[in-house]
Each structure stands twice: as C-alpha cells, then as structure tokens.
Amino acid sequence: MMDFVLPPVVAVLVWWLGTGGVMLLDRLPRDSWRYTLGTATTVVAAALVCIARSADNTTTAGAYAGFVCAVVAWGWHELTFLAGWITGPRRSGCSEPSHWPTRLRESVQAILWHEIGILLMLALIAMLTWNRANPVALWTFGLLWTMRLSAKLNLFLGVRNWGEQFLPPQLAYLPSYFNRRSLNMLLPVVLVAGTAVLAWLIHLAADASGGQRAALLLVASMGVLAIAEHLLMVLPLQSTALWRWAMRRHAEAMAAR
C-alpha cells in the first residue's frame, strides 16, 4: 500500500514547499539577490550532478532522487523569472492589450530568455539521462515545462483567475498580457489530454514495481497537481490560501522595512 501512497505525498509536499520557498526568495530585498542567486545556482549544479549519478539507479531511492532534483532545477528557473533576473527583452506592459497580434508578439518578448533557458535545461537533463535506466528527472522536468507552457497559453487566451496575487512587484506588468474570460477552447483539450496521460501512467504503475512504480507515480502525482492548477484558472476559487504562510511572511518583512 505504501508503494502507492508515499509517491503522491512526497510530490504534494515538494510542490507545496517548493512553490512557497520560491515565493519567499523572489521577494527578498534587492541587496540580497546576488547571494540568493549564487546559492540557488550552486544548489542547481548539485542537483544536476545528482541527476547524472542517479540516472542508472533503478531503485526507489533513485526515483525519488531524480524527481526531487528535477523539481529543484525547475525551481531555479521559476526563481530567476519571478525575481526578474531572467525574463525577456521586454520589461514593460503591453502597448496594445486589445490588439491580439501585438499582445502575442510582446508577450513572447516579455518571457523569451526565460523560455530559452528552460529549453536549454531540458536539453541538458535529456543528455544526462538519455538511454539510461532511470529517466524520471527528464519525465518530471518535461511534464513541468509542458504544463507550464499550457498555463501561459491559457492565460493569453483568457481564463477567469489570473493568479496575479503571486506576482512580485517587479513583474506587475505581466497581467497586461493576459485575457479575462470564463473559459477558452484550449483548456478543455488540455484537461482531457492530461487526464488520459495520467490514466496511462497510473495503469503502467499498477503493473510495475520498485523504483519504476515510484517513478511513474511521482510523475503522475505532479501531473494531477498541474491539472488542478489549470482547473483553478476557471473555477470560482482562489489558491492563495495554500501559501498564506509564505505571503504573510513577505508582508511582515515589507512592513518592517
């Protein structure tokens, strides 16, 4: 039973704590950003070494190691983006929000370097794990990239909830590239396709054992969380309560300055 229970619990904890940690770090005072970036980059370098070393480890421990290190690598990109270190050549709001070709062009310019960085990291993880026995790091990072790209496209096309509460002051211009709608045509397609992939992963996990089962369930659990985040875009709910501890600490720090 624990083979099926532990991976989802670990995935939820890593997702919840990782998201909150990034929220705290990207809101630190500017004079601490150099230290934060240096420390985070060192941690990511260690995570990449761990991915390379665990790529032939087919045990349960190897699955967890690859999964956590891939999330750490993803967190580095989220941190550098939300802190405004690596975004894109455009760092201002949309010049013509009502003109969608302009909004599309300028939105790409606003996140271009960030997206290129993610693709380079994905290529590096692919090189470290290609044709090796434990590709869970590649699966995890690839899933995170795919679902986050989908989230960005849905924000552009239009959703009910933008999640602008999570944006730090240095990225306050980003909502000018979003569109407010109750629903768009892409989101149902993503939800159906994502659910089908999840069902397939769970089916494979049921027939697997050991490290392979853990790897499949870890990736599937992260996929469930990604689908839940997509649903929160259109449901009349707010997810800020999940990270109230991180947002409260930031507010307290700002008040004390």
Side-chain angles (χ1 to χ4, degrees):
M1 180 63 69
M2 286 303 296
D3 288 348
F4 288 93
V5 173
L6 189 58
V9 171
V10 170
V12 170
L13 285 175
V14 169
W15 168 77
W16 179 65
L17 292 173
T19 301
V22 169
M23 289 172 60
L24 285 173
L25 290 174
D26 66 44
R27 288 165 170 80
L28 289 175
R30 286 181 176 269
D31 56 7
S32 68
W33 282 1
R34 181 175 298 181
Y35 173 78
T36 302
L37 178 59
T39 302
T41 302
T42 302
V43 172
V44 168
L48 290 172
V49 172
C50 179
I51 288 173
R53 292 186 174 181
S54 65
D56 290 318
N57 186 346
T58 59
T59 66
T60 301
Y64 283 109
F67 173 80
V68 172
C69 289
V71 175
V72 169
W74 180 262
W76 183 88
H77 287 281
E78 290 292 286
L79 176 62
T80 56
F81 177 73
L82 291 173
W85 296 326
I86 303 176
T87 55
R90 184 176 181 84
R91 292 174 176 262
S92 59
C94 184
S95 61
E96 294 184 74
S98 61
H99 187 241
W100 78 261
T102 298
R103 188 161 57 91
L104 176 61
R105 183 183 69 253
E106 293 182 353
S107 65
V108 171
Q109 294 172 351
I111 61 173
L112 183 59
W113 308 144
H114 171 66
E115 293 299 326
I116 291 175
I118 291 176
L119 289 175
L120 290 175
M121 180 68 77
L122 180 63
L124 177 57
I125 294 176
M127 290 173 58
L128 295 175
T129 59
W130 199 256
N131 286 331
R132 300 178 71 177
N134 177 21
V136 65
L138 178 60
W139 295 349
T140 303
F141 197 91
L143 171 70
L144 289 169
W145 172 68
T146 301
M147 297 305 285
R148 184 51 57 88
L149 182 61
S150 168
K152 292 171 182 175
L153 289 173
N154 276 285
L155 284 169
F156 177 83
L157 293 174
V159 291
R160 180 196 298 267
N161 299 319
W162 290 352
E164 62 269 32
Q165 304 93 330
F166 295 108
L167 291 174
Q170 56 269 19
L171 296 181
Y173 58 87
L174 283 182
S176 66
Y177 299 102
F178 304 162
N179 190 24
R180 187 85 70 181
R181 295 175 61 186
S182 59
L183 188 64
N184 67 76
M185 296 182 63
L186 175 63
L187 186 58
V189 175
V190 172
L191 293 176
V192 171
T195 301
V197 172
L198 290 178
W200 176 63
L201 289 174
I202 294 171
H203 173 73
L204 292 177
D207 294 332
S209 61
Q212 186 179 24
R213 173 179 288 175
L216 290 166
L217 288 176
L218 285 166
V219 176
S221 300
M222 190 61 74
V224 171
L225 294 170
I227 288 178
E229 288 182 340
H230 277 65
L231 285 172
L232 286 172
M233 290 182 176
V234 294
L235 295 177
L237 300 170
Q238 294 293 334
S239 60
T240 53
L242 293 172
W243 293 280
R244 188 171 295 161
W245 54 276
M247 301 179 78
R248 182 173 61 249
R249 291 182 183 180
H250 168 59
E252 291 172 353
M254 293 296 292
R257 290 177 61 183

